[in-house]
């Protein structure tokens, strides 16, 4: 359910030194761009056991002014990746246990998952971390159901993400959960990052970035986004990109982690969610406008993606004032 707009949703980001500066910056950058009815959707507070100068994994220092009492004020707690995962601060572990016991949403980015596991919060739960750490993570915490090849995992109130950029996906997922797909995708556009991606998408572990040959498919994806309501085949996409279907399929997956048709389906479901949130179009029109064809098709895909029917989704996430 969306968070009520009476006050901003409070997010505490724990930076245990040496902390990842990127992990610290991502939640602040994305949550700060959320506005609901002209008001901020979030308040972000960075915190650490010893306020003041905090070392980072990159060798620079940052200043964090708040102590762990910020966790008590928060609705959501996020642990940034840290180089101290092998010897976590007991004060951080106690704060995490207290947050979970109070029913707060608790999340981690990258190696921050080690702190959640050390606090005992992930026992019997599904979780992930950066792919290079998964073997050590699984060996150290055998009670955790480690998911090695996903961007992020939500198991109840606990969320974990994999490497650096997956922290962006995790934060967008949180925004979408609180305020809906339209708001989350608007934040993604303003931040110049990819739209909300499903957590089950594979980490890009052994996939090299495509060579800079001038044949990136970004323009083809942008072209397809303006034609989601139209039938689009692999041949159509390959023709626009001026490559063979085989080349399109191989390189599209290298760039996005998805096949062209999987990517199209994801974008169409996201378009349908935005239309359900921001218009009063009948469900069958939403299905056609998003390229999903029929109301029954939309219902099946939405149930599979978010566990809600179109009418239930609209009731929960509509940004329109009741007529």
């Amino acid at each position: 359910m969306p968070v009520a707009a009476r006050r901003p949703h409070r997010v505490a980001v724990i930076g245990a030194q040496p902390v990842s500066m990127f992990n610290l910056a991502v939640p602040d950058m994305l949550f700060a761009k959320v506005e609901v009815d002209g008001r901020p959707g979030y308040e972000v507070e960075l915190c650490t056991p010893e306020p003041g100068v905090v070392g980072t994994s990159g060798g620079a220092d940052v200043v964090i002014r708040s102590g762990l009492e910020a966790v008590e004020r928060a609705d959501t707690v996020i642990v940034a990746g840290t180089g101290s995962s092998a010897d976590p601060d007991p004060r951080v572990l106690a704060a995490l246990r207290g947050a979970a016991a109070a029913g707060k949403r608790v999340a981690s980015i990258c190696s921050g998952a080690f702190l959640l596991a050390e606090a005992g919060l992930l026992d019997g739960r599904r979780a992930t971390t950066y792919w290079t750490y998964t073997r050590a993570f699984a060996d150290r915490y055998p009670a955790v159901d480690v998911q090695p090849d996903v961007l992020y995992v939500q198991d109840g109130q606990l969320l974990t993400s994999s490497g650096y950029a997956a922290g962006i996906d995790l934060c967008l997922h949180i925004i979408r959960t609180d305020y809906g797909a339209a708001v989350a995708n608007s934040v993604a556009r303003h931040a110049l990052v990819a739209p909300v991606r499903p957590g089950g998408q594979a980490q890009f572990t052994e996939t090299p970035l495509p060579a800079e040959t001038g044949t990136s498919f970004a323009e083809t994806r942008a072209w397809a986004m303006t034609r989601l309501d139209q039938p689009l085949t692999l041949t159509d996409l390959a023709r626009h990109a001026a490559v063979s279907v085989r080349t399109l399929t191989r390189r599209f997956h290298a760039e996005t982690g998805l096949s062209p048709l999987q990517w199209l389906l994801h974008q169409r479901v996201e378009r349908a969610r935005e239309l359900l949130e921001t218009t009063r179009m009948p469900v069958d029109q939403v299905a056609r406008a998003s390229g999903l064809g029929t109301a029954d098709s939309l219902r099946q895909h939405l149930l599979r993606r978010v566990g809600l029917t179109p009418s239930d989704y609209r009731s929960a996430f509509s940004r329109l004032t009741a007529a």
Side-chain angles (χ1 to χ4, degrees):
M1 292 291 289
V3 173
R6 294 188 302 274
R7 64 162 177 81
H9 186 98
R10 299 190 182 106
V11 179
V13 183
I14 300 176
Q17 68 175 337
V19 67
S20 163
M21 189 179 297
F22 183 83
N23 284 185
L24 276 181
V26 163
D28 190 52
M29 175 186 72
L30 295 178
F31 293 132
K33 295 185 182 298
V34 176
E35 285 194 0
V36 179
D37 300 327
R39 293 179 289 181
Y42 294 93
E43 289 179 354
V44 179
E45 189 172 8
L46 306 184
C47 62
T48 192
E50 295 287 344
V53 177
V54 176
T56 73
S57 53
D61 293 332
V62 296
V63 176
I64 300 180
R65 295 183 174 85
S66 297
L68 293 177
E69 65 276 2
V71 172
E72 299 176 10
R73 297 189 287 269
D75 304 299
T76 293
V77 180
I78 300 177
V79 185
T82 173
S84 65
S85 56
D87 186 24
D89 190 311
R91 293 171 293 181
V92 173
L93 302 183
L96 292 172
R97 294 186 188 108
K104 301 176 189 288
R105 180 168 52 196
V106 181
S108 66
I109 300 175
C110 197
S111 58
F114 281 80
L115 276 66
L116 298 191
E118 191 67 26
L121 303 184
L122 299 180
D123 289 355
R125 294 181 181 269
R126 293 175 298 114
T128 193
T129 188
Y130 187 41
W131 68 274
T132 60
Y133 303 149
T134 51
R135 176 68 64 83
F137 188 86
D139 290 345
R140 184 168 177 177
Y141 305 108
V144 180
D145 181 6
V146 181
Q147 308 287 303
D149 295 318
V150 297
L151 290 174
Y152 57 87
V153 174
Q154 177 165 5
D155 192 326
Q157 73 192 93
L158 279 298
L159 299 92
T160 52
S161 71
S162 55
Y164 293 98
I168 296 174
D169 296 293
L170 177 73
C171 291
L172 290 174
H173 170 72
I174 289 172
I175 294 169
R176 180 178 63 186
T177 300
D178 292 342
Y179 295 112
V183 174
N185 286 329
S186 175
V187 170
R189 285 191 294 270
H190 280 97
L192 299 178
V193 297
V196 181
R197 297 189 289 179
Q201 183 170 322
Q203 297 184 40
F204 302 121
T205 51
E206 298 296 333
T207 306
L209 291 174
E212 294 294 335
T213 60
T215 57
S216 168
F217 297 134
E219 290 187 5
T220 296
R221 291 194 294 273
W223 173 82
M225 287 291 290
T226 66
R227 294 165 173 79
L228 292 178
D229 60 329
Q230 302 174 23
L232 289 174
T233 65
L234 285 174
T235 300
D236 295 329
L237 296 171
R239 184 181 298 118
H240 182 273
V243 296
S244 68
V245 168
R246 177 179 293 182
T247 297
L248 172 84
T249 301
R250 174 175 55 82
R251 297 203 53 196
F252 201 100
H253 191 281
E255 291 185 15
T256 67
L258 299 170
S259 73
L261 296 183
Q262 287 173 326
W263 179 87
L264 270 176
L265 176 60
H266 177 69
Q267 299 306 326
R268 283 170 167 155
V269 173
E270 288 301 304
R271 177 66 55 81
R273 292 171 72 169
E274 290 195 27
L275 292 173
L276 289 170
E277 293 172 24
T278 60
T279 76
R280 293 189 174 90
M281 291 171 60
V283 171
D284 59 341
Q285 291 184 23
V286 170
R288 289 195 297 271
S290 58
L292 293 172
T294 66
D296 186 57
S297 175
L298 169 58
R299 185 177 187 276
Q300 291 178 16
H301 286 298
L302 203 61
L303 276 170
R304 187 176 302 117
R305 183 68 57 82
V306 299
L308 295 172
T309 66
S311 58
D312 287 342
Y313 185 87
R314 174 169 271 164
S315 295
F317 293 104
S318 176
R319 308 308 306 169
L320 300 176
T321 303

